[in-house]
Short mmCIF file of all heavy atoms in Angstrom, two decimals:
data_model
loop_
_atom_site.label_atom_id
_atom_site.label_comp_id
_atom_site.label_asym_id
_atom_site.label_seq_id
_atom_site.Cartn_x
_atom_site.Cartn_y
_atom_site.Cartn_z
N PHE A 123 -4.24 -2.69 6.59
CA PHE A 123 -2.98 -2.21 7.19
C PHE A 123 -3.05 -0.72 7.50
O PHE A 123 -2.64 -0.26 8.62
CB PHE A 123 -1.84 -2.45 6.21
CG PHE A 123 -0.66 -1.58 6.34
CD1 PHE A 123 0.21 -1.60 7.42
CD2 PHE A 123 -0.30 -0.68 5.31
CE1 PHE A 123 1.26 -0.77 7.57
CE2 PHE A 123 0.81 0.16 5.41
CZ PHE A 123 1.66 0.12 6.54
N THR A 124 -3.59 0.08 6.62
CA THR A 124 -3.70 1.56 6.83
C THR A 124 -4.61 1.85 8.03
O THR A 124 -4.28 2.66 8.88
CB THR A 124 -4.27 2.22 5.59
OG1 THR A 124 -3.33 2.01 4.48
CG2 THR A 124 -4.37 3.73 5.80
N TYR A 125 -5.70 1.13 8.13
CA TYR A 125 -6.62 1.50 9.23
C TYR A 125 -6.03 1.05 10.58
O TYR A 125 -6.15 1.78 11.57
CB TYR A 125 -7.96 0.68 9.00
CG TYR A 125 -8.83 1.22 7.87
CD1 TYR A 125 -9.84 0.52 7.38
CD2 TYR A 125 -8.58 2.44 7.24
CE1 TYR A 125 -10.68 0.99 6.37
CE2 TYR A 125 -9.24 2.93 6.25
CZ TYR A 125 -10.37 2.20 5.77
OH TYR A 125 -11.18 2.68 4.72
N ARG A 126 -5.38 -0.10 10.59
CA ARG A 126 -4.69 -0.55 11.80
C ARG A 126 -3.51 0.34 12.20
O ARG A 126 -3.40 0.79 13.32
CB ARG A 126 -4.19 -1.96 11.63
CG ARG A 126 -3.46 -2.55 12.87
CD ARG A 126 -4.38 -2.60 14.09
NE ARG A 126 -3.71 -3.13 15.25
CZ ARG A 126 -4.15 -3.04 16.51
NH1 ARG A 126 -5.31 -2.42 16.72
NH2 ARG A 126 -3.50 -3.60 17.53
N LEU A 127 -2.77 0.85 11.22
CA LEU A 127 -1.71 1.74 11.43
C LEU A 127 -2.17 3.03 12.03
O LEU A 127 -1.60 3.57 13.00
CB LEU A 127 -0.98 1.96 10.07
CG LEU A 127 0.20 3.00 10.21
CD1 LEU A 127 1.27 2.63 11.16
CD2 LEU A 127 0.82 3.20 8.76
N GLN A 128 -3.27 3.56 11.47
CA GLN A 128 -3.78 4.86 11.99
C GLN A 128 -4.21 4.68 13.43
O GLN A 128 -4.03 5.57 14.31
CB GLN A 128 -4.92 5.37 11.20
CG GLN A 128 -5.51 6.70 11.62
CD GLN A 128 -4.46 7.75 11.64
OE1 GLN A 128 -3.80 8.03 10.67
NE2 GLN A 128 -4.25 8.42 12.77
N HIS A 129 -4.88 3.53 13.76
CA HIS A 129 -5.38 3.25 15.09
C HIS A 129 -4.15 3.27 16.09
O HIS A 129 -4.19 3.91 17.16
CB HIS A 129 -5.93 1.87 15.20
CG HIS A 129 -6.29 1.49 16.58
ND1 HIS A 129 -7.44 1.85 17.27
CD2 HIS A 129 -5.69 0.56 17.52
CE1 HIS A 129 -7.44 1.26 18.45
NE2 HIS A 129 -6.41 0.54 18.62
N LEU A 130 -3.00 2.64 15.68
CA LEU A 130 -1.76 2.61 16.48
C LEU A 130 -1.19 3.94 16.67
O LEU A 130 -0.68 4.31 17.76
CB LEU A 130 -0.84 1.58 15.90
CG LEU A 130 -1.32 0.15 15.80
CD1 LEU A 130 -0.29 -0.73 15.06
CD2 LEU A 130 -1.56 -0.42 17.20
N LEU A 131 -1.11 4.74 15.60
CA LEU A 131 -0.54 6.09 15.63
C LEU A 131 -1.32 6.96 16.58
O LEU A 131 -0.77 7.73 17.38
CB LEU A 131 -0.54 6.72 14.23
CG LEU A 131 0.46 6.05 13.23
CD1 LEU A 131 0.15 6.58 11.84
CD2 LEU A 131 1.87 6.36 13.62
N THR A 132 -2.68 6.88 16.51
CA THR A 132 -3.51 7.61 17.39
C THR A 132 -3.33 7.18 18.86
O THR A 132 -3.22 8.07 19.74
CB THR A 132 -5.02 7.44 17.01
OG1 THR A 132 -5.17 7.91 15.67
CG2 THR A 132 -5.95 8.34 17.93
N ALA A 133 -3.24 5.89 19.07
CA ALA A 133 -3.12 5.43 20.42
C ALA A 133 -1.72 5.81 21.05
O ALA A 133 -1.63 6.00 22.26
CB ALA A 133 -3.09 3.86 20.45
N ASN A 134 -0.77 6.06 20.19
CA ASN A 134 0.57 6.50 20.68
C ASN A 134 0.72 7.96 20.71
O ASN A 134 1.70 8.52 21.12
CB ASN A 134 1.72 5.92 19.77
CG ASN A 134 2.01 4.48 20.02
OD1 ASN A 134 2.22 4.06 21.17
ND2 ASN A 134 2.00 3.66 18.99
N GLY A 135 -0.38 8.75 20.26
CA GLY A 135 -0.28 10.16 20.29
C GLY A 135 0.72 10.76 19.30
O GLY A 135 1.31 11.77 19.46
N SER A 136 0.95 10.00 18.21
CA SER A 136 1.94 10.43 17.23
C SER A 136 1.36 11.45 16.30
O SER A 136 0.19 11.47 15.98
CB SER A 136 2.38 9.20 16.40
OG SER A 136 2.94 8.19 17.24
N HIS A 137 2.25 12.41 15.87
CA HIS A 137 1.88 13.38 14.90
C HIS A 137 2.10 12.90 13.43
O HIS A 137 2.78 13.47 12.63
CB HIS A 137 2.60 14.66 15.13
CG HIS A 137 2.37 15.32 16.47
ND1 HIS A 137 1.09 15.55 16.92
CD2 HIS A 137 3.21 15.64 17.45
CE1 HIS A 137 1.14 16.06 18.14
NE2 HIS A 137 2.35 16.12 18.50
N VAL A 138 1.43 11.74 13.16
CA VAL A 138 1.55 11.10 11.86
C VAL A 138 0.17 10.58 11.48
O VAL A 138 -0.57 10.06 12.30
CB VAL A 138 2.55 9.92 11.87
CG1 VAL A 138 2.68 9.30 10.51
CG2 VAL A 138 3.91 10.30 12.45
N THR A 139 -0.27 10.83 10.19
CA THR A 139 -1.45 10.31 9.74
C THR A 139 -1.28 9.28 8.67
O THR A 139 -0.25 9.32 7.94
CB THR A 139 -2.41 11.41 9.24
OG1 THR A 139 -1.68 12.10 8.15
CG2 THR A 139 -2.79 12.35 10.29
N ALA A 140 -2.17 8.30 8.51
CA ALA A 140 -2.07 7.29 7.48
C ALA A 140 -3.41 7.20 6.76
O ALA A 140 -4.44 7.07 7.37
CB ALA A 140 -1.75 5.93 8.14
#
Side-chain angles (χ1 to χ4, degrees):
F123 156 66
T124 299
Y125 291 167
R126 180 60 179 167
L127 176 58
Q128 183 58 56
H129 174 83
L130 298 173
L131 290 167
T132 301
N134 282 311
S136 304
H137 298 307
V138 183
T139 58

